[in-house]
Amino acid sequence: MTHPNRRPLIAGNWKMHKTVSESVALARAIADTSRIGPRTDVVVAPVFTALSAVKTALEGTPVALSAQNLHWEAQGAFTGEVSAAMLVDVGCRYVIIGHSERRQYFGETDDGVAKKTRAARGAGLVPIVCVGETLSEREAGITFDVIGRQLDAMLAVLDESALATTVVAYEPVWAIGTGKTAKSSDAQLAHAFLRDRAKNKFGDAGDALRILYGGSVKADNAAELLAQPDIDGALVGGASLDAEGFGRIIRAAG
Ligand code: 13P
């Protein structure tokens, strides 16, 4: 039986899209509660500049707020960065960490991801830590080495009790924004591998860890992915920018 902690979680990563007013309009449309079943957690991650306004727009709705990144220091001379406590202050409950775009374009490392995970947890945020292999890594047959290494870096800063309030997102890089989704059976294999690895380290507590799939999730493929036993939700990019399509993904989760 699935661990009771693993309520389906559908998160929209808006990436670098939308002005403040556009973000508020999208958040309001998504929060239309008729779209959200009582058993599903829904999270949206707007750009930093829209967090405050979206927080206000979401008040009294079941949709929670996430940031897309943070810095691991609490404060200081780190131009352009935002700390975990600042995200809590603006109303975030979640933060995405180590997205492949940050690893690819902004030089994020496993070590930085570990520091960010520790900082997020220290401030009471739920980290959504992203792992995933590139196309060349998949073709070289090293998918599990790569995602195992990425997972280990983040598990190293957790203890057993943290697993219920930590989220992992498996996002194969070749599936992001390409329209190519991993086959649900391949995604399930990767998710089961990640869960087993967490269980090897922490025993049965690993059953509480929620593992989301990300990479070209759309309304018409969500149900099949979400039906896999170790897929606990979705981290959605492009399709989360349209309230109607995102609502259909949410409904596919139950
Ligand atoms: P797409 O859903 O646009 O492929 O993006 C996935 C993603 O990167 C979510 O974090």
Side-chain angles (χ1 to χ4, degrees):
M1 209 189 75
T2 307
H3 190 285
N5 187 61
R6 280 160 56 194
R7 292 162 52 84
L9 194 166
I10 306 296
N13 175 8
W14 296 356
K15 306 192 180 182
M16 198 171 75
H17 292 288
K18 303 216 174 268
T19 63
V20 174
S21 59
E22 289 167 349
S23 299
V24 166
L26 178 58
R28 287 211 177 105
I30 288 171
D32 170 356
T33 44
S34 66
R35 299 171 187 278
I36 301 172
R39 279 203 63 254
T40 304
D41 289 339
V42 177
V43 173
V44 295
V47 293
F48 282 127
T49 49
L51 286 173
S52 179
V54 169
K55 174 64 190 168
T56 305
L58 292 177
E59 235 128 69
T61 79
V63 180
L65 189 67
S66 176
Q68 299 177 16
N69 184 27
L70 82 167
H71 189 62
W72 55 79
E73 293 290 346
Q75 59 183 13
F78 302 102
T79 301
E81 297 292 333
V82 176
S83 74
M86 291 164 187
L87 297 181
V88 171
D89 183 46
V90 79
C92 290
R93 293 213 355 244
Y94 295 78
V95 60
I96 297 169
I97 296 177
H99 191 279
S100 64
E101 287 149 16
R102 298 220 49 92
R103 295 181 192 255
Q104 263 185 302
Y105 307 135
F106 303 100
E108 291 211 4
T109 61
D110 288 341
D111 181 49
V113 169
K115 286 182 183 152
K116 290 181 178 194
T117 303
R118 188 190 282 121
R121 289 202 46 82
L125 291 165
V126 175
I128 302 175
V129 180
C130 303
V131 303
E133 81 286 1
T134 63
L135 184 60
S136 62
E137 288 164 343
R138 171 156 285 257
E139 286 173 349
I142 57 169
T143 294
F144 288 175
D145 303 273
V146 171
I147 64 176
R149 188 201 74 222
Q150 292 171 337
L151 184 76
D152 287 352
M154 155 270 185
L155 291 179
V157 299
L158 300 182
D159 59 32
E160 177 185 316
S161 68
L163 294 190
T165 47
T166 300
V167 176
V168 170
Y170 170 61
E171 298 204 304
V173 178
W174 48 271
I176 294 177
T178 57
K180 287 185 205 152
T181 319
K183 275 196 292 187
S184 54
S185 53
D186 284 343
Q188 165 57 25
L189 279 179
H191 282 234
F193 168 82
L194 293 167
R195 185 176 314 288
D196 277 352
R197 200 144 173 129
K199 286 172 79 168
N200 281 343
K201 186 166 164 79
F202 291 119
D204 286 345
D207 275 328
L209 180 68
R210 290 194 284 185
I211 308 178
L212 315 184
Y213 172 79
S216 297
V217 176
K218 308 274 182 252
D220 55 7
N221 61 23
E224 189 187 335
L225 287 158
L226 293 169
Q228 301 300 312
D230 286 292
I231 299 185
D232 305 313
L235 182 54
V236 184
S240 71
L241 296 172
D242 164 56
E244 214 281 314
F246 192 57
R248 286 173 60 205
I249 296 170
I250 293 167
R251 283 197 294 278

